[in-house]
Amino acid sequence: MASAGEPRLRLPELKLDELLEELQARVNAARGTRDRVHSLLEAVLSVGRELDLEQALHSIVEAAAVLVDAEYAALGVIAPGGTTLSAFLTVGMGKDQIARIGRFPEGHGLLGEVIRHPQPLRLEKISQHPASYGFPAHHPPMNSFLGVPIRVRNQVFGNLYLTEKRGGAQFDEDDEAVLSTLAVAAGVAIDNARLYEESRLRERWLHANADITYSLMAGSARAGSLQLIAERARENTASALAAVALPMEATESLVVEIAVGVDAEAHRGLVLPLSRTLIGMAFSSAAPVTSDDVQQDDRISPEPPRFEGLGPAVAVPIGTRDGGVRGVVLVSRPAGAPVFSGHETEKLQGFAAQAAIAMELAERREEAEEIAVLRDRDRIARDLHDLAIQRLFATGMTLQSAGRIIERPEAAEKVLRAVDDLDETIKIIRSTVFGLRSRTGTADAALRARIVRVVDEATRVLGFSPGVRMENLIDTDVPGEIADHVVAVASEALTNIARHARADRADVVVTTDGREISLVVSDNGVGIPLDGRRSGLRDMAERAEQLGGRMDVSSPVGGGAVVRWRVPLPST
């Protein structure tokens, strides 16, 4: 113990306040790191739970904005070519603000820099980077930037773009590390969502094939089965329109039998050539034919207008080159939708090939049933000829002989009348036998084919191919006599256009509702002069009057002429 005269010991001056503050800062940093790790783990779990691809992408971009405390975030999906963006999902801007900005970026400028060089990119100020060339009108100001690529199985799927760290701070290395970790988890989640979506799509295609096979083999009408093919193709490809076209016998044309979706009525009954059209080329080449935008495609005829609001399309043959093409199915998505990828086209082609097999099996079954009917008819005809006619003939000979020995004239006359009746009965039976052994309804007599041939013949004189549309059961409901008049009127109308109209477009439309047949021939020429010759028009009008119908001729406001010819059909 020190005496009173010794100096007292003094403790060193410890900067306790600074040490405590530093300790508190380290504790806070540790807590912040812990919270951030927890947030990252939660984000990874949240993203990994999503099996719907679109929802997974939204979850990824939302989680990225929260993890690095960014005001704006976006996820750009790279298009198959690898140079532009096919989709752009955003967080931080409302719908009204997005609408004012306009179309989403395509991947040029700074966004394209991350596409071209798939490495993390961190900037204090966007405008200072050489690849930046400003923002469009109504775009919010952005300075700090962090971009990170997302890889799926070593392929760059897209990029995460983060801007404007809150509080005016800059993105740091920790932000980059956290975002890069999230990008790895996002790649796995996207891959899982893709596989799940692919498995569901494969299942839907299998169900569609099973439905069509069952429909055809159960004996459903062909129109119903074709309707099912169109509907399933439209649903499974997320399309707005689907159409099925089949070849017309004895012609070089296809007719759109079924159409479902947007403006389906404008497609039904259209007759298309095998060349210069999307559907015709798919049929001729027995291979898929695609279009990025049907509204701007030269292989789509402008008349009648029928692809309003649609964009990407693909026409796929029903069948294969080796097995024979039985038709074409066309699907088209809304304008702005993704184009059909090779994988999607392959799935649709496989579906169409299976549908062709089902159609062939159904046709073979129908042919077998028809052969059975024909054999039965032939047996009936043979029995009538060999048994019934011979017995009737023998009975007639017996009665005729007996008539000679009957003494009473009245009785003899009755016997002779009975013999005449038997002769008449024999003639009727022979006519029936001939009918049973005859094949009727050949393709050459079909009204559809005859109309197409008339149009083909007129094409050489007109210098262009008229548009043709035929709807409903014109081959079934229209008898031969009226069909002859329809063909004659169509030929005369097209001839008049070639001689007098000076037109570069014409359309032929034939429809029936089962009660009357309607033929409409229109052109965009000079119209019908008041003082011109009308012998052709008069002949067409007289044909209509003979059949109890009528013909009207009009000149639209835009020019040209329209001939409407319609006659009633006999009631069945």
Side-chain angles (χ1 to χ4, degrees), residues 7 54 60 79 82 114-115 125-126 139 174 216 220 230 232 285 298 304 332 342 395 428 474 488 500 514 518 543:
E54 186 173 355
I60 291 167
V114 186
I115 297 176
K125 199 171 184 63
I126 293 176
H139 197 285
D174 289 341
L216 287 167
S220 299
R232 292 295 183 268
S285 63
D298 294 337
S332 182
T395 303
I428 294 173
I474 63 173
H500 312 295
S518 171
R543 287 178 179 273

Side-chain angles (χ1 to χ4, degrees), residues 212 215-217 219-230 258 359:
I212 292 166
S215 173
L216 287 167
M217 298 309 294
S220 299
R222 188 183 70 162
S225 300
L226 295 178
Q227 179 90 8
L228 192 58
I229 291 174
I258 298 294
M359 291 172 65

Side-chain angles (χ1 to χ4, degrees), residues 42-122:
E42 290 177 1
V44 169
L45 291 174
S46 174
V47 168
R49 280 194 296 264
E50 295 293 345
L51 289 177
D52 180 79
L53 180 58
E54 186 173 355
Q55 188 58 46
L57 298 179
H58 280 286
S59 298
I60 291 167
V61 70
E62 289 171 355
V66 172
L67 284 174
V68 299
D69 202 21
E71 185 173 355
Y72 303 107
L75 193 158
V77 180
I78 299 177
T83 58
T84 59
L85 297 177
S86 62
F88 199 73
L89 295 81
T90 62
V91 168
M93 288 188 287
K95 293 182 179 180
D96 294 339
Q97 191 174 17
I98 294 174
R100 287 195 299 270
I101 294 173
R103 60 186 301 176
F104 283 122
E106 297 179 355
H108 305 297
L110 187 60
L111 302 185
E113 183 71 15
V114 186
I115 297 176
R116 292 186 293 272
H117 304 93
Q119 299 294 331
L121 177 63
R122 181 159 41 94

Side-chain angles (χ1 to χ4, degrees), residues 90-336:
T90 62
V91 168
M93 288 188 287
K95 293 182 179 180
D96 294 339
Q97 191 174 17
I98 294 174
R100 287 195 299 270
I101 294 173
R103 60 186 301 176
F104 283 122
E106 297 179 355
H108 305 297
L110 187 60
L111 302 185
E113 183 71 15
V114 186
I115 297 176
R116 292 186 293 272
H117 304 93
Q119 299 294 331
L121 177 63
R122 181 159 41 94
L123 302 172
E124 294 183 2
K125 199 171 184 63
I126 293 176
S127 59
Q128 294 177 352
H129 195 278
S132 175
Y133 57 80
F135 297 104
H138 308 294
H139 197 285
M142 295 180 180
N143 292 296
S144 56
F145 174 86
L146 176 58
V148 174
I150 298 175
R151 287 181 169 83
V152 178
R153 298 191 181 187
N154 296 324
Q155 296 292 326
V156 179
F157 172 83
N159 297 302
L160 281 170
Y161 304 108
L162 287 302
T163 61
E164 289 299 287
K165 189 174 177 69
R166 296 184 188 276
Q170 295 294 324
F171 295 110
D172 55 23
E173 293 181 358
D174 289 341
D175 294 326
E176 182 178 321
V178 167
L179 203 60
S180 297
T181 304
L182 177 66
V184 174
V188 175
I190 291 170
D191 191 29
N192 289 337
R194 276 179 163 179
L195 292 174
Y196 178 71
E197 183 177 333
E198 184 177 343
S199 66
R200 291 188 62 191
L201 182 60
R202 187 184 302 112
E203 184 180 359
R204 289 199 298 269
W205 282 123
L206 289 174
H207 280 305
N209 281 321
D211 290 343
I212 292 166
T213 301
Y214 177 80
S215 173
L216 287 167
M217 298 309 294
S220 299
R222 188 183 70 162
S225 300
L226 295 178
Q227 179 90 8
L228 192 58
I229 291 174
E231 289 175 350
R232 292 295 183 268
R234 183 171 69 96
E235 293 170 1
N236 291 349
T237 58
S239 298
L241 170 75
V244 176
L246 301 179
M248 297 180 62
E249 294 186 25
T251 69
E252 295 293 321
S253 303
L254 299 168
V255 59
V256 179
E257 295 277 0
I258 298 294
V260 294
V262 175
D263 289 335
E265 290 294 335
H267 292 265
R268 294 191 191 108
L270 273 177
V271 176
L272 303 170
L274 296 183
S275 60
R276 306 186 307 278
T277 63
L278 205 66
I279 290 178
M281 293 171 68
F283 183 87
S284 301
S285 63
V289 180
T290 61
S291 174
D292 292 344
D293 187 357
V294 288
Q295 296 189 66
Q296 306 297 326
D297 200 317
D298 294 337
R299 296 168 296 180
I300 301 295
S301 58
E303 297 293 337
R306 58 193 186 280
F307 284 102
E308 185 70 26
L310 299 180
V314 60
V316 172
I318 300 176
T320 61
R321 188 186 300 274
D322 297 335
V325 179
R326 296 181 173 275
V328 175
V329 56
L330 175 139
V331 290
S332 182
R333 288 172 174 163

Side-chain angles (χ1 to χ4, degrees), residues 338-351:
V339 298
F340 288 90
S341 65
H343 180 69
E344 290 175 316
T345 302
E346 183 181 350
K347 291 291 184 184
L348 180 60
Q349 192 173 8
F351 165 72

Side-chain angles (χ1 to χ4, degrees), residues 372-391:
V373 170
L374 292 175
R375 285 177 176 172
D376 198 41
R377 287 182 176 182
D378 189 61
R379 179 186 59 78
I380 295 171
R382 187 172 57 254
D383 290 346
L384 286 174
H385 183 271
D386 295 344
L387 300 177
I389 290 180
Q390 296 300 326
R391 289 191 178 187

Side-chain angles (χ1 to χ4, degrees), residues 508-527:
V508 178
V509 180
V510 184
T511 60
T512 180
D513 58 2
R515 295 186 298 273
E516 72 171 13
I517 178 75
S518 171
L519 168 66
V520 179
V521 182
S522 59
D523 66 80
N524 66 343
V526 298

Side-chain angles (χ1 to χ4, degrees), residues 505 522-528 554-562:
R505 197 192 79 235
S522 59
D523 66 80
N524 66 343
V526 298
I528 301 175
S554 61
S555 297
V557 177
V562 179

